[in-house]
Amino acid sequence: MSNSLKPQLADAVKAAMRAKDSARLGTLRLLQAAIKQKEVDDQRELSDADITAIIEKQVKQRRESIAAFEQAGRTETAEQEKAEMAVLQEFLPQAAAPEEVEATIASAIAEVQGQGISGAPAMGKVMAIVKAALAGRADMSAVSAQVKARL
């Protein structure tokens, strides 16, 4: 199985060690630990898609933490989380343009409505199609809000 993200991560860890960038190094090591844990749990080598899903989950956790810290007035901790999120986002695919997100949502809704599905089940079907098309390239919580508004 050809993985390009794992060696890329390993190289980034080595570069951070050489540069003595402890903040970046810590974030990358946490990511590597999460990947290794998933591999041990599943007892298999992870694909790039699996690794991207782990990175997305980590980024989502950072977003939620940032919101909580800013609400609590802990700006220093929020800045640290933002820095970690920036490091993680380097390993995600290029973000999709808003027009591409809109077009994907529109085609998914048309496809689901063409099957005669409406209401709450349609939301799940549309999100499944959109998530497959935009995996790692869009904030799924924002996309979910857009889909909900359209349905």
Side-chain angles (χ1 to χ4, degrees), residues 6-126:
K6 272 179 100 172
Q8 191 179 343
L9 272 168
D11 292 344
V13 167
K14 290 174 194 168
M17 289 169 118
R18 286 188 195 108
K20 296 185 179 14
D21 186 349
S22 60
R24 181 176 173 81
L25 181 62
T27 302
L28 293 172
R29 282 187 171 157
L30 281 171
L31 178 57
Q32 281 187 320
I35 292 168
K36 189 70 174 169
Q37 182 65 49
K38 182 74 170 158
E39 285 181 337
V40 169
D41 290 348
D42 293 356
Q43 296 182 348
R44 66 180 177 90
E45 189 81 16
L46 295 180
S47 68
D48 278 353
D50 296 327
I51 293 172
T52 300
I54 291 171
I55 297 171
E56 283 178 332
K57 184 177 178 184
Q58 298 272 328
V59 168
K60 182 180 179 193
Q61 288 173 346
R62 298 304 186 286
R63 274 197 190 104
E64 291 167 355
S65 297
I66 289 167
F69 288 138
E70 285 177 345
Q71 194 173 22
R74 296 177 58 191
T75 55
E76 187 177 304
T77 314
E79 290 303 317
Q80 181 182 347
E81 292 285 319
K82 285 178 186 174
E84 288 181 7
M85 191 169 76
V87 171
L88 292 170
Q89 286 175 329
E90 292 174 25
F91 297 96
L92 288 174
Q94 189 64 37
E99 302 81 35
E100 183 182 352
V101 174
E102 287 290 326
T104 305
I105 291 172
S107 69
I109 289 173
E111 182 179 330
V112 169
Q113 287 176 341
Q115 296 171 359
I117 303 169
S118 63
M123 176 76 178
K125 296 269 188 193
V126 169

